[in-house]
Amino acid sequence: MVPAHRGRVAEPVYRPILASRRGELEALSHLDDAVAPLLAPVLELSTVDPVALDLLGRLPAGLVPAVDVSALPELPETELVRWGVPVVPVIGLADSDRRLVAHGVAAQAYVRRAVVRLRAGQDRAGPDATTAAAERIWRYGRLVPEQCDLLIDAGDVCCPADLRVTEPRVRRLVDWARRHAWRTVTVAAGGMPPTLSRLPTDEPVRLDRWDWLLWQRLADLGVGYGDYAVAAASPAGEGPGDRFPTVRYTADGAWWVYRWSRRGGRGDERFADLCRTLVAAPHWPPAGAGFSWGDHELLRRARRVAGAGSPTNWTAWSTSHHLAHVLATLTRPARDQRPGPWRGEEERGRPTRPHRGGEARRAG
């Protein structure tokens, strides 16, 4: 997510959409203070969990998450201003007048800004109706466009067909967005399949990061980058018995999915074998355990100095590595790895050639 106006210090470059579960929050809590301001996570809440609220209050300095409570009923306890934790409200185009007012109060109480989440698959009105919905948000929330980060959520982009359908749709939405003085504009998508239960076990399986490829194709638009980290945009329940030790490991343009069932019934030994295979793979980073907290924990398991952990831990370690990998990629000096600045209608220049890269091949 690149600033709409130049001159800000430590402006975030990455907006991941994360479930507010303990694994994802644990990964955020282990971010280094030096890189935390570069991240602007959107946390989706499905319940008001006291443990999650406690973890929110213990995030690194400089990390102010946006919180989406659209799945929760409109009750006093779901009003963000009552939580006493600095957060950015996430506002949907279909939110009720009452919720818009509450979000506006939270925005003014904390950081004086909000995230407007436009879901490309659900908010399918034309440009004039979308403008009317945005104006309603600003009116009831007592906000102006310059206080709002626009998040265009493209949803699932998990195959070439999704990519072909989604790219022109997102381009139309970005073209609409240029009518207004948004603080920033970010495009987010989810490329992880909803279920992994059909993938082979006991071998690393390569899955293309179609969400990343979508953003590369949009490079000429100068929008910021967001994703769903190592989760699917539309998650589905794993089948019964599919609790194999699993790590979703992010690399350039792909994930390597490790689902391990071998070496008998002991979970510790199975996970140690998985981790030994991972740390010996070409996509294990040169920095090794120093790359992220998650990599450090995975190496400890490869060396059998700690137990296998739980699915929550596996999610936390996978998410930690993913966040570090994306931040490292987005902050590389290479031009084709970073978005350009967001340009409003009056700032448009000659478009740059989009970097399309090589499409990753699905293995397994």
Side-chain angles (χ1 to χ4, degrees), residues 192 196 199 203-205 207 246-248 255-259:
M192 183 68 71
L196 304 179
L199 296 183
E203 62 182 83
V205 179
L207 299 181
T246 302
V247 170
R248 309 175 189 212
W255 290 288
W256 290 92
V257 178
Y258 290 74
R259 296 175 65 242

Side-chain angles (χ1 to χ4, degrees), residues 276-343:
R276 284 194 295 267
T277 305
L278 171 58
V279 301
H283 43 265
W284 180 252
F291 189 75
S292 74
W293 166 74
D295 289 285
H296 173 77
E297 295 301 314
L298 291 167
L299 184 60
R300 292 182 70 215
R301 272 73 193 174
R303 294 175 174 173
R304 294 297 306 274
V305 297
S310 66
T312 295
N313 297 131
W314 307 333
T315 296
W317 302 333
S318 299
T319 302
S320 173
H321 169 80
H322 178 89
L323 299 178
H325 178 89
V326 172
L327 282 173
T329 303
L330 291 174
T331 54
R332 286 176 192 164
R335 183 181 180 87
D336 63 352
Q337 296 294 347
R338 297 195 64 177
W342 161 248
R343 298 183 295 274

Side-chain angles (χ1 to χ4, degrees), residues 158-320:
C158 299
C159 65
D162 288 347
L163 189 65
R164 286 193 297 270
V165 171
T166 302
E167 181 180 352
R169 182 181 299 166
V170 170
R171 286 184 176 275
R172 288 192 294 270
L173 290 172
V174 173
D175 189 59
W176 165 81
R178 294 190 188 282
R179 299 182 180 186
H180 309 286
W182 300 101
R183 182 174 179 271
T184 65
V185 175
T186 298
V187 173
M192 183 68 71
T195 178
L196 304 179
S197 59
R198 297 180 181 178
L199 296 183
T201 59
D202 303 325
E203 62 182 83
V205 179
R206 187 183 190 278
L207 299 181
D208 296 303
R209 288 173 59 201
W210 295 102
D211 51 345
W212 177 251
L213 182 57
L214 169 67
W215 182 73
Q216 289 183 307
R217 287 176 180 263
L218 300 173
D220 60 301
L221 300 181
V223 294
Y225 176 70
D227 61 21
Y228 279 77
V230 297
S234 302
E238 296 283 347
D242 189 46
R243 292 176 62 85
F244 293 136
T246 302
V247 170
R248 309 175 189 212
Y249 202 76
T250 308
D252 289 340
W255 290 288
W256 290 92
V257 178
Y258 290 74
R259 296 175 65 242
W260 240 240
S261 65
R262 66 185 177 202
R263 288 192 178 273
R266 286 201 59 190
D268 286 4
E269 182 54 40
R270 280 193 295 167
F271 197 72
D273 187 57
L274 182 160
C275 292
R276 284 194 295 267
T277 305
L278 171 58
V279 301
H283 43 265
W284 180 252
F291 189 75
S292 74
W293 166 74
D295 289 285
H296 173 77
E297 295 301 314
L298 291 167
L299 184 60
R300 292 182 70 215
R301 272 73 193 174
R303 294 175 174 173
R304 294 297 306 274
V305 297
S310 66
T312 295
N313 297 131
W314 307 333
T315 296
W317 302 333
S318 299
T319 302
S320 173

